[in-house]
Amino acid sequence: MAESKREKIAIIGSGMIGHCWATLFLGGGYQVCMYDISQDRVDAALNAVQFKLNKLKDEGLLHGTLSIEERLANLSTTTDLQECLAGAIYAQESAVEDLQLKTDLFMKIDSLTGPDTILASSTSTLAPSKFTENLKHRENCLVVHPVNPPVYCPLTELIPAPWTKPAVVDITYSLMTAIGQSPIKLTREVDGFAINRLQYAILAEAWRMVHSGVISTADVNKVISEGLGLRWAFYGPLEVSHMNADGIKHHNERYGPGVIRVLNDFGPTPTFFEPETLEKIASDLNQKIPVEKLAAHRAWREHQLGAIAQLKRKLAKEKPADL
Ligand SMILES: NC(=O)c1ccc[n+]([C@@H]2O[C@H](COP(=O)([O-])OP(=O)(O)OC[C@H]3O[C@@H](n4cnc5c(N)ncnc54)[C@H](O)[C@@H]3O)[C@@H](O)[C@H]2O)c1
Ligand SMILES: *[C@@H]1O[C@H](CO)[C@@H](O)[C@H](O)[C@H]1NC(C)=O
């Protein structure tokens, strides 16, 4: 189906996130052009896509039916932004996270595209209204924010600016589904979007508990990696509440007052700058994950995430028909 499309996708910025987007769009049968600011970077991105395609194939996780050779034949690179955008139906910007850079880049992209190209940014922290307000085609702009590494974490949040056309969100949603991602839609901009609001709520409490000496750095991490995170790979927090009692209403009757009591016990927003606590957390983390070994740990994390992706696929197939 998707493989019959003869449509082009522009990847603008081909680093850690951009090359993953290219890998994913190739799986939808699209023609993909990767742009970056130097020949070295586009060459590195091309190697990275080849590596990812082979790895995903080995893991049985390649989305779509094209062979690796066919996918690579649909891929091109350029250091010319105009060439990258020519004829593209959709552009995914994944340049470095910098408001001024994205503002300037979107001005250029806007001037090089017509009314029918969707302009998406991978930004983790910048609301789309911050860098699209004065564009000619601002109704075509939105944030399409992935989870790193997007080839193993399919969640992708779509955030419209106040002026984004609803159809642009809908088309992008279908496009994400077609390349094997799991899109979610926010109805409007909110700082941190959905992913980081949830992530930072947990980060804040982890920091508070270590700062106040209630728990060690190692143990607070274990709460997630050996406990909550295991369930969360399959069910979200509201579903967990629903399942931990006889439905969410029963959960609220039984545990609601306790939840409120604990929430009221949370302290003020931590500043994350108390030097002693930061020193302690950094030294604890460095024992398990020394900074000079970060790259190796990241690679190992990717490997483990690949194994979880495989497991989730297998389990989805085994799911009882009456569930
Ligand atoms: N890394 C993550 O965990 C993560 C997760 C989700 C979203 N994001 C977002 O993705 C975007 C890219 O992040 P990354 O981690 O891939 O960074 P990265 O540093 O790996 O890649 C950024 C790339 O942008 C290129 N670039 C610099 N200036 C450019 C320009 N003017 N035009 C086009 N390309 C340019 C760089 O050469 C580099 O290749 C950021 O907006 C970031 O917030 C990152
Ligand atoms: C991608 O490659 C396949 C197989 O060669 C081809 O059928 C398809 O048309 C290509 N996609 C595009 C958009 O050119």
Side-chain angles (χ1 to χ4, degrees):
M1 283 256 296
E3 264 99 338
S4 65
K5 287 203 183 67
R6 299 204 160 269
E7 291 170 324
K8 178 178 169 187
I9 306 290
I11 302 294
I12 298 166
S14 303
M16 185 142 75
I17 295 296
H19 89 270
C20 283
W21 277 125
T23 306
L24 289 165
F25 279 110
L26 290 172
Y30 293 96
Q31 201 189 104
V32 176
C33 185
M34 290 194 292
Y35 164 85
D36 209 302
I37 50 174
S38 73
Q39 192 59 43
D40 284 359
R41 302 222 170 158
V42 295
D43 289 347
L46 190 56
N47 281 332
V49 171
Q50 271 169 328
F51 179 84
K52 281 264 156 49
L53 287 173
N54 282 300
K55 185 143 191 302
L56 289 167
K57 188 182 176 203
D58 290 345
E59 292 164 333
L61 291 173
L62 264 190
H63 182 75
T65 54
L66 297 181
S67 69
I68 290 189
E69 293 68 31
E70 287 170 327
R71 286 170 210 241
L72 289 173
N74 282 347
L75 178 63
S76 61
T77 62
T78 181
T79 53
D80 177 351
L81 188 58
Q82 182 165 13
E83 184 186 323
C84 178
L85 286 164
I89 57 153
Y90 178 97
Q92 181 79 40
E93 172 274 324
S94 311
V96 285
E97 189 78 342
D98 178 293
L99 179 57
Q100 192 55 55
L101 186 145
K102 296 223 194 249
T103 306
D104 296 345
L105 185 53
F106 266 79
M107 294 250 269
K108 276 190 219 151
I109 295 171
D110 186 49
S111 72
L112 293 169
T113 46
D116 297 326
T117 308
I118 293 177
L119 308 179
S121 172
S122 300
T123 178
S124 309
T125 61
L126 305 168
S129 64
K130 294 264 190 307
F131 54 95
T132 65
E133 183 169 8
N134 300 315
L135 303 183
K136 203 165 29 158
H137 306 110
R138 65 178 195 169
E139 73 280 3
N140 290 344
C141 297
L142 79 170
V143 165
V144 175
H145 176 229
V147 181
N148 190 34
V151 294
Y152 297 125
C153 299
L155 184 83
T156 307
E157 49 182 356
L158 312 188
I159 302 101
W163 39 79
T164 308
K165 268 191 306 205
V168 163
V169 179
D170 293 342
I171 295 168
T172 305
Y173 191 94
S174 306
L175 189 59
M176 288 298 128
T177 308
I179 62 172
Q181 295 303 89
S182 290
I184 57 167
K185 286 186 227 183
L186 274 63
T187 58
R188 60 186 168 85
E189 293 184 353
V190 34
D191 199 13
F193 314 146
I195 297 170
N196 281 332
R197 283 176 91 93
L198 289 173
Q199 181 163 245
Y200 296 167
I202 291 169
L203 189 60
E205 192 48 25
W207 177 276
R208 280 194 208 99
M209 287 199 291
V210 175
H211 179 63
S212 59
V214 168
I215 194 169
S216 68
T217 307
D219 281 358
V220 85
N221 283 316
K222 263 196 202 170
V223 171
I224 305 297
S225 63
E226 300 285 315
L228 296 176
L230 298 177
R231 285 199 305 228
W232 284 343
F234 302 98
Y235 294 100
L238 297 174
E239 289 163 339
V240 166
S241 298
H242 191 57
M243 293 166 92
N244 279 1
D246 295 328
I248 185 85
K249 289 183 179 169
H250 181 230
H251 185 275
N252 280 6
E253 275 166 33
R254 186 178 274 177
Y255 302 110
V259 173
I260 301 291
R261 194 186 66 238
V262 173
L263 289 175
N264 283 320
D265 190 52
F266 285 177
T269 306
T271 63
F272 295 101
F273 293 122
E274 295 94 340
E276 260 174 51
T277 305
L278 182 59
E279 225 21 80
K280 180 181 162 10
I281 292 180
S283 133
D284 293 344
L285 291 174
N286 273 312
Q287 273 177 30
K288 184 173 168 192
I289 309 171
V291 172
E292 58 281 8
K293 282 201 175 168
L294 272 176
H297 279 273
R298 281 194 203 107
W300 178 237
R301 179 178 66 177
E302 279 213 19
H303 181 72
Q304 295 176 102
L305 287 170
I308 290 191
Q310 284 173 310
L311 176 66
K312 285 195 70 155
R313 274 199 202 186
K314 176 172 167 282
L315 291 173
K317 282 190 199 135
E318 289 171 5
K319 189 172 165 188
D322 58 343
L323 278 187

